[in-house]
Amino acid sequence: MTEEYIYKQPQRNRLSYFIELMEMLNAHSRPKNWLELLPGKCHLLYCTGRQIGLTLRQPSARVLIGDVYLTINRASKLNTSISFTSDIGFTVMNGRDWPHDKSGITGKLEVNSVFRLTSGRRLYLKEEKTSEKLSFGQPNNQDSLAQKLSAKKWRKLVPYKEFPSSLPVAKLVSADIEVTMSLGDNLNQNDVTPSSIVQEIRVQVPPEMFDLSRVVCGTYVDSRLLVLRGVNGSALLFTRSMC
């Protein structure tokens, strides 16, 4: 499903405010902190970008996405290189229509890449007044967030009197990526091929989880939550996994 089928505009705005607030209150902005806190296994909870799911489409491969994890390991304490592994679980269902029985052939798509972590800043570009007239009434998330942060209940928590023009981030520079896919059984459908399965996964999963080189920076990290930003500005919200 596209995101707007699941979350209406007010809900999406609240999630956007929440992520932006986390980024402003990030207490671990130095690369040294990120190198210590990043390693671990994280479960993808939400992405502010839009993905197309099962609705209004008849894809050649009926693929049901399961859990999506990001595993981060530090190769050595002597350098700033970090390995990212994206694990995407899925099920290829039998038949051309979407059956009530969601059983089928299980599989996993794995994407690996090595990142170099450095310090950086995320710039917030202010829109000109002329562009506001062309927004067709759509709210500006940064302006709305600035108004919320000026309220009395936030003044003691937020160390900014106005929305900052930039914030410190952990800049991530990716090397080559490697993609592998495994299936639990042989495909018994003539019109379903491994390439069609990969294509359907790419449609439903956030592009940053399939192409890790699209992840450009980390904006929030602690022992429970992680926020990464893609090259198009989308935010990916993760929670730590115990499994």
Side-chain angles (χ1 to χ4, degrees):
M1 295 183 179
T2 56
E3 182 187 293
E4 60 187 12
Y5 283 106
I6 304 174
Y7 298 105
K8 296 299 182 181
Q9 188 65 47
Q11 294 171 306
R12 296 203 302 272
N13 286 340
R14 292 189 190 99
L15 287 167
S16 178
Y17 297 149
F18 172 67
I19 292 175
E20 292 277 4
L21 182 61
M22 288 172 57
E23 292 172 334
M24 293 183 67
L25 298 177
N26 183 22
H28 308 289
S29 58
R30 297 180 180 180
K32 179 181 179 181
N33 302 137
W34 280 82
L35 290 172
E36 295 173 353
L37 292 171
L38 260 182
K41 188 174 183 180
C42 303
H43 184 221
L44 179 63
L45 288 183
Y46 180 76
C47 177
T48 58
R50 295 190 178 185
Q51 299 81 47
I52 298 175
L54 314 181
T55 306
L56 306 178
R57 296 188 307 116
Q58 294 296 324
S60 58
R62 269 52 173 182
V63 178
L64 187 65
I65 303 297
D67 292 320
V68 180
Y69 293 99
L70 182 66
T71 304
I72 305 171
N73 293 304
R74 186 176 179 184
S76 172
K77 293 184 178 181
L78 301 178
N79 55 49
T80 59
S81 297
I82 296 178
S83 64
F84 279 37
T85 301
S86 173
D87 292 312
I88 304 169
F90 62 88
T91 301
V92 182
M93 292 177 287
N94 298 320
R96 298 190 59 84
D97 298 323
W98 294 107
H100 291 290
D101 182 8
K102 297 300 188 292
S103 61
I105 300 174
T106 58
K108 184 177 75 169
L109 187 77
E110 186 174 288
V111 185
N112 294 281
S113 184
V114 176
F115 285 80
R116 180 169 53 86
L117 190 149
T118 60
S119 61
R121 297 194 72 85
R122 182 179 177 224
L123 303 179
Y124 293 88
L125 301 179
K126 294 185 178 180
E127 296 182 356
E128 298 293 338
K129 293 182 179 179
T130 54
S131 65
E132 295 178 359
K133 298 179 181 179
L134 302 177
S135 63
F136 299 100
Q138 295 180 356
N140 184 292
N141 285 338
Q142 294 181 9
D143 292 342
S144 300
L145 179 62
Q147 293 177 4
K148 286 182 176 292
L149 296 180
S150 63
K152 292 182 179 179
K153 63 179 180 180
W154 293 113
R155 288 177 184 173
K156 294 181 179 181
L157 296 177
V158 181
Y160 305 104
K161 294 183 179 180
E162 61 181 12
F163 200 93
S165 60
S166 66
L167 288 175
V169 298
K171 183 179 179 181
L172 297 167
V173 181
S174 172
D176 295 336
I177 65 171
E178 178 183 353
V179 181
T180 59
M181 185 178 70
S182 60
L183 295 172
D185 201 352
N186 295 325
L187 295 173
N188 54 8
Q189 303 179 59
N190 295 330
D191 57 342
V192 177
T193 62
S195 61
S196 65
I197 295 174
V198 172
Q199 180 60 34
E200 181 60 22
I201 293 173
R202 294 191 66 175
V203 171
Q204 295 191 44
V205 171
E208 294 82 3
M209 297 302 296
F210 183 85
D211 184 359
L212 289 173
S213 65
R214 296 174 65 93
V215 177
V216 294
C217 68
T219 55
Y220 182 88
V221 66
D222 62 19
S223 59
R224 296 175 298 174
L225 297 173
L226 170 67
V227 178
L228 301 178
R229 288 276 180 176
V231 67
N232 62 352
S234 298
L236 290 86
L237 177 63
F238 298 85
T239 183
R240 300 287 182 175
S241 176
M242 299 300 178
C243 60

